[in-house]
Amino acid sequence: MLGLGLAGLGYASVVERNWFRLRRFDVPVLERGQRPVRILHLSDLHLTPGRKKLINWVRSLGSLEPDLVVNTGDSIAHPEAVPALLHALEPLLARPGMFVYGSNDLYAPKPKNPARYLWRTSKKDRRQHVPSLPWEELGAGMTAEGWLDMNNTTARIKIGDLDVAVAGIHDSHIDRDRYDLVAGPAPADADLRLGVMHSPEPRNMTRFAADGYQLLLAGHTHGGQLCIPFYGALVTNCGIDRARVKGLNRHDDAWLHVSAGLGTSPYAPVRFACFPEASLLTLVPRR
């Protein structure tokens, strides 16, 4: 039994953690006659400078030539990770893009018992008040290449032939979300209305949907990170239900995509039955 446990731990920490996958979804959200566009959704890299396999895999995604790249946060996990992240994103930074922050873009991870997530979320774990990671450098590196900082703000952007209205919020997991700053009906004249957040908290998703945003993108959950085959995630680490811990689903009148993300905390470097992933969303006309 001990041997099986050690084998499982080795698989989860060495094999599956580095077995990156690209998931593909068609999202029927456009009007008839509009040409499809493709959104590459990245999330939760939790990058440290030594993750060469992850860096190289993200760089390979440049060959997809997406119409838009959306990064839903928790990009770094080390004070010196920003240059490594920008190197990973380099082939994608020439594409239209946008980002929001997650808690781990501001606060460095700390050792903790990962089993605690089985009975509660990590929302109350954060004791730091002063950011310990270079989040400003992180944001400046992406905005310098033209990506939009969507933390608690709105924007209009051209994606292919589409005029897109975007609203984004900071991370609700550390109480930095300010939905009231973006609240109100989404522009009715936009071809697409997109909502972006890090943690998929239902209270925020409901407000996005009520305001008319048609597609919501989030990360944070790691897809459960440790899952049971044929059962799924044990926890979500936020308010969303286990059935929607990753992938494409609905929330009220909106489509919702939650990324299982590409990384893990350096102090819990394992994944089981939950491969690290990025997603390519092809937006197509409704039938």
Side-chain angles (χ1 to χ4, degrees):
M1 186 66 69
L2 177 60
L4 286 175
L6 291 174
L9 180 61
Y11 166 80
S13 61
V14 177
V15 179
E16 186 167 320
R17 174 175 174 250
N18 292 298
W19 199 341
F20 310 112
R21 294 188 170 186
L22 179 68
R23 302 185 76 193
R24 298 174 184 264
F25 299 92
D26 288 347
V27 188
V29 72
L30 302 181
E31 298 291 341
R32 289 184 179 181
Q34 292 178 327
R35 288 193 292 181
V37 298
R38 299 185 305 161
I39 298 177
L40 178 63
H41 183 187
L42 305 175
S43 198
D44 297 271
L45 277 73
H46 292 274
L47 193 64
T48 55
R51 294 293 311 275
K52 302 300 184 183
K53 289 183 179 179
L54 175 55
I55 291 168
N56 290 334
W57 191 82
V58 172
R59 286 182 63 85
S60 76
L61 297 176
S63 64
L64 297 171
E65 297 185 345
D67 299 292
L68 177 69
V69 185
V70 179
N71 176 3
T72 49
D74 274 5
S75 297
I76 58 175
H78 189 280
E80 298 177 6
V82 171
L85 179 75
L86 296 178
H87 177 65
L89 294 177
E90 182 184 16
L92 296 166
L93 288 171
R95 318 295 302 181
M98 61 185 64
F99 66 93
V100 292
Y101 294 122
S103 61
N104 285 280
D105 293 320
L106 284 75
Y107 303 108
K110 292 185 174 182
K112 65 187 71 172
N113 176 11
R116 72 178 67 189
Y117 295 153
L118 295 177
W119 60 84
R120 66 176 178 84
T121 76
S122 61
K123 184 174 176 63
K124 300 302 182 183
D125 288 353
R126 197 67 58 183
R127 297 290 189 267
Q128 302 176 67
H129 299 289
V130 178
S132 54
L133 289 178
W135 64 274
E136 292 175 305
E137 179 186 350
L138 170 65
M142 290 186 283
T143 57
E145 299 298 328
W147 281 19
L148 300 178
D149 179 342
M150 293 307 305
N151 289 283
N152 297 325
T153 192
T154 60
R156 295 287 282 260
I157 185 173
K158 193 77 171 178
I159 306 174
D161 295 331
L162 301 182
D163 175 28
V164 181
V166 188
I169 54 174
H170 207 307
D171 189 6
S172 58
H173 208 62
I174 49 173
D175 299 318
R176 287 181 176 247
D177 55 319
R178 301 291 184 268
Y179 193 89
D180 286 347
L181 296 178
V182 303
D189 60 340
D191 297 316
L192 174 69
R193 295 171 289 280
L194 177 65
V196 182
M197 70 204 89
H198 177 65
S199 180
E201 286 296 341
R203 60 180 172 81
N204 284 324
M205 297 189 302
T206 295
R207 295 188 73 179
F208 273 119
D211 280 341
Y213 290 93
Q214 302 156 286
L215 174 60
L216 313 180
L217 303 182
H220 175 70
T221 65
H222 296 192
Q225 191 164 328
L226 299 177
C227 299
I228 297 176
F230 309 110
Y231 178 80
L234 297 173
V235 295
T236 68
N237 197 27
C238 64
I240 200 171
D241 51 287
R242 291 190 307 105
R244 297 185 297 166
V245 71
K246 65 179 179 180
L248 186 66
N249 291 282
R250 298 286 288 180
H251 187 84
D252 297 338
D253 293 330
W255 287 100
L256 167 68
H257 181 261
V258 178
S259 173
L262 282 163
T264 65
S265 166
Y267 299 108
V270 295
R271 279 181 178 260
F272 190 81
C274 185
F275 291 94
E277 67 178 42
S279 295
L280 188 66
L281 311 176
T282 301
L283 310 189
V284 298
R286 295 186 290 268
R287 295 180 179 178

